[in-house]
Amino acid sequence: MKRDQDQPKHFNDSLMSNRSFRNPHLYAKLVEFVDIDERTTNFPKDIWDPHDIQEDWFADRIGPFTLFGLIWISVSISLR
């Protein structure tokens, strides 16, 4: 908050009123400018390596297994 008692203004409000922060591509530009790896982690690589992504983890590969699992559960419940 601003220390001015007559016109207090929160920091977020001042950011949002700035035209530069209204750009929807600002985040991507800042990440590129600062050269930040958005997929980094504080975990050790033996626990989680965000760059070791396997094909089986993508939604198009998980989807059929999920559908099959739901069908299997509904069939097994109906057979009881």
Side-chain angles (χ1 to χ4, degrees), residues 42-79:
N42 289 330
F43 288 110
K45 288 196 182 230
D46 60 330
I47 294 177
W48 173 247
D49 183 3
H51 298 286
D52 180 27
I53 299 175
Q54 299 175 13
E55 290 292 323
D56 293 340
W57 296 351
F58 286 93
D60 59 341
R61 297 290 297 269
I62 295 172
F65 294 110
T66 305
L67 179 60
F68 178 73
L70 291 174
I71 293 171
W72 176 258
I73 290 170
S74 63
V75 167
S76 64
I77 289 173
S78 64
L79 294 177

